[in-house]
Amino acid sequence: MFKDYKYSCVERFIHYVKVDTQSDPQSSSSPSTDKQKNLSKILVEELLAMGIADAAMDEFGYVYATIPSTTKKQVPVICFCSHVDTAPDCSGTNVKPIVHERYSGQEFALPDDTTQVLSVAEFKYLEEHIGESIITASGNTLLGADDKSGVAEIMDMANFLMTHPEVKHGTIKILFTPDEEIGKGTAKLDIKKLEADFGYTLDGGELGTLEDETFSADAAVITVHGVIAHPGYGKDTLVNALKIAGEILAELPKKEFSPETTEKREGFVHPVRMEGLAEKATIEFIVRDFTRVGLKANAERLQSIAEDVLKKHPKARMEFKVTEQYRNMKEVLHQHPQVIEYAEEAYRKSGLKVRKQSIRGGTDGSRLSFLGLPCPNLFTGMQGIHSKKEWIGVRDMKKAVEVMVNLVQVWEERS
Ligand SMILES: [Zn+2]
């Protein structure tokens, strides 16, 4: 059915990446940057033009839309979700996408900054795209494939379903969120208004990957209280909180327990910020693991490292506070095995081998899952994200659209 259909996700993608939607972690407004709404508005207009009558953006920049059911069966409502913002790590202003047709396999420099070189040595996955088209930015900015590839693919899926009413599916919800990159993608989400039973984020990497697991994440803060005195007369009384904080950091294990030395299923503890005066110092950490038990153990280990340091300074005291950030989505997905099962079937129908992966981080899907919308992550093709070398293969983008079109039909068939 799709064989004669020309997917337009590439044209959409080229259009969307030119809109600057960088989010800002320092901002307290929602969305964090008003410019994110510029893309959301375009998406609403395009959805309305497709005939999706309820497409709308709310005051916080979230886009909600409904593709009506084409079947008499009762099918669970499925939501597809992507984020419109790009990462604060790298400029997203004046993105100039370049389509490299029939990629040769040779390394190549980006025209606006020739120190930015893409090569198979760095990105082995480029090899799979020899002879195919790939898209990069021009050297000064990121590309924004994270996550405008997901946005473009969902838009194209919507367009396909609206122009092919003979394809049987239940009610489909579309959700575009702001501020995912700063961890606030679901902060102002109205989950009731969404009225979906299950979801899929389009925010993953290589063709065929299916991410059903994320880290569980906590934040920990150590506050050290020293004893202040005039430094000229501080002998035997002054206790410097900054020095104790430094000792705590120095006591962290160097060969394990850190992001620099762990991979795969190992968790870690990572200091992300420190500030203070001689009197009082705070260190902020992120704590990560795939299991709740491991997460708790990691926080306890950090606490005992700090307490051991404090024992050497009996006049100082410390506080240790842990706050929850997000939890491994697998805890929720386990209870709804069909969400993954049907995705795997859709991958196979699209001629793909399924590669299940876990994310050493979080996604909107981790939070959505715990808000009651079980939500694994599907591939979009994005590579080299958050950098000037970000790129994506056209083949992967088209396949992601095909997977979604197959997936909505699997849900219909199995209902
Ligand atoms: Zn993303």
Side-chain angles (χ1 to χ4, degrees):
M1 183 185 310
F2 331 96
K3 297 226 165 66
D4 55 349
Y5 177 74
K6 188 182 178 303
Y7 291 107
S8 60
C9 56
V10 175
E11 289 81 0
R12 289 181 197 281
F13 177 71
I14 299 276
H15 181 193
Y16 303 155
V17 296
K18 291 177 187 165
V19 184
D20 182 358
T21 56
Q22 191 180 53
S23 49
D24 175 7
Q26 306 304 327
S27 163
S28 55
S29 54
S30 295
S32 67
T33 53
D34 218 46
K35 61 190 177 186
Q36 294 179 65
K37 288 184 176 175
N38 295 340
L39 178 56
S40 298
K41 278 179 205 153
I42 293 171
L43 298 173
V44 169
E45 278 167 26
E46 292 185 3
L47 289 165
L48 290 171
M50 289 176 200
I52 299 178
D54 72 343
M57 178 181 79
D58 72 6
E59 60 183 305
F60 306 113
Y62 290 75
V63 175
Y64 301 83
T66 312
I67 304 173
S69 169
T70 56
T71 179
K72 291 198 183 72
K73 285 188 186 172
Q74 282 291 326
V75 184
V77 177
I78 302 303
C79 172
F80 291 103
C81 168
S82 287
H83 61 92
V84 296
D85 65 317
T86 62
D89 318 56
C90 182
S91 170
T93 305
N94 199 13
V95 173
K96 290 185 250 165
I98 303 171
V99 180
H100 308 256
E101 284 177 22
R102 291 180 297 279
Y103 169 59
S104 70
Q106 298 298 308
E107 66 170 42
F108 64 96
L110 299 177
D112 292 342
D113 177 356
T114 51
T115 66
Q116 301 294 330
V117 175
L118 274 86
S119 67
V120 171
E122 185 173 357
F123 297 103
K124 182 133 194 358
Y125 189 55
L126 271 174
E127 267 176 357
E128 285 195 27
H129 299 267
I130 294 174
E132 309 260 354
S133 296
I134 60 168
I135 307 172
T136 66
S138 64
N140 293 331
T141 64
L142 48 63
L143 174 62
D146 181 8
D147 186 17
K148 287 165 185 167
S149 57
V151 173
E153 289 156 10
I154 290 173
M155 290 296 285
D156 207 42
M157 179 252 342
N159 186 52
F160 182 87
L161 293 181
M162 292 304 287
T163 51
H164 290 75
E166 74 281 7
V167 174
K168 292 259 181 290
H169 60 80
T171 303
I172 309 295
K173 294 284 179 173
I174 292 173
L175 172 67
F176 296 125
T177 62
D179 290 336
E180 191 270 355
E181 296 289 0
I182 58 168
K184 292 182 182 165
T186 56
K188 298 283 180 183
L189 173 68
D190 188 344
I191 195 88
K192 286 221 177 70
K193 180 168 149 189
L194 190 62
E195 284 185 316
D197 297 307
F198 303 105
Y200 297 93
T201 49
L202 271 284
D203 200 9
E206 289 186 15
L207 183 75
T209 56
L210 173 57
E211 294 170 323
D212 63 346
E213 195 169 7
T214 58
F215 266 148
S216 282
D218 280 342
V221 180
I222 294 174
T223 306
V224 179
H225 299 271
V227 179
I228 203 66
H230 188 293
Y233 306 93
K235 187 168 188 295
D236 300 329
T237 50
L238 195 144
V239 182
N240 190 319
L242 290 171
K243 289 184 180 173
I244 296 172
E247 275 181 59
I248 293 169
L249 292 180
E251 285 302 315
L252 293 174
K254 294 181 181 54
K255 295 198 173 118
E256 37 122 16
F257 203 50
S258 70
E260 297 94 326
T261 56
T262 49
E263 59 177 356
K264 296 184 180 139
R265 297 196 57 85
E266 300 165 316
F268 58 74
V269 154
H270 178 46
V272 288
R273 186 188 159 91
M274 182 172 171
E275 68 180 359
L277 302 162
E279 190 177 8
K280 179 182 157 189
T282 59
I283 320 173
E284 294 172 23
F285 294 85
I286 60 168
V287 184
R288 299 291 185 262
D289 203 82
F290 281 103
T291 67
R292 281 184 193 239
V293 175
L295 188 68
K296 190 160 175 277
N298 288 352
E300 284 169 357
R301 185 174 174 193
L302 174 63
Q303 184 173 9
S304 85
I305 289 169
E307 282 170 351
D308 284 347
V309 170
L310 264 286
K311 278 181 196 145
K312 293 184 236 162
H313 306 280
K315 282 191 255 174
R317 63 189 176 80
M318 98 174 199
E319 287 148 35
F320 185 80
K321 189 164 177 276
V322 176
T323 46
E324 178 172 324
Q325 291 187 319
Y326 57 85
R327 291 292 176 260
N328 187 341
M329 60 162 78
K330 199 159 199 167
E331 292 178 17
V332 176
L333 290 173
H334 258 324
Q335 298 161 31
H336 308 280
Q338 72 275 32
V339 179
I340 293 294
E341 212 180 290
Y342 295 177
E344 291 184 86
E345 189 176 333
Y347 277 41
R348 286 193 295 268
K349 280 193 167 176
S350 310
L352 300 175
K353 241 177 98 181
V354 183
R355 285 162 53 206
K356 278 214 239 170
Q357 288 184 344
S358 45
I359 309 172
R360 288 178 64 78
T363 64
D364 269 353
S366 347
R367 289 189 178 85
L368 288 170
S369 292
F370 286 90
L371 285 172
L373 189 74
C375 196
N377 192 29
L378 310 184
F379 70 89
T380 72
M382 63 172 86
Q383 299 293 314
I385 58 171
H386 302 192
S387 82
K388 293 174 182 172
K389 295 182 189 176
E390 190 177 11
W391 65 278
I392 189 163
V394 168
R395 173 201 70 173
D396 295 1
M397 295 182 70
K398 291 181 176 176
K399 271 292 175 193
V401 181
E402 191 180 330
V403 162
M404 280 186 279
V405 172
N406 279 325
L407 182 50
V408 298
Q409 295 177 87
V410 173
W411 276 96
E412 198 271 346
E413 285 159 16
R414 301 284 206 99
S415 292

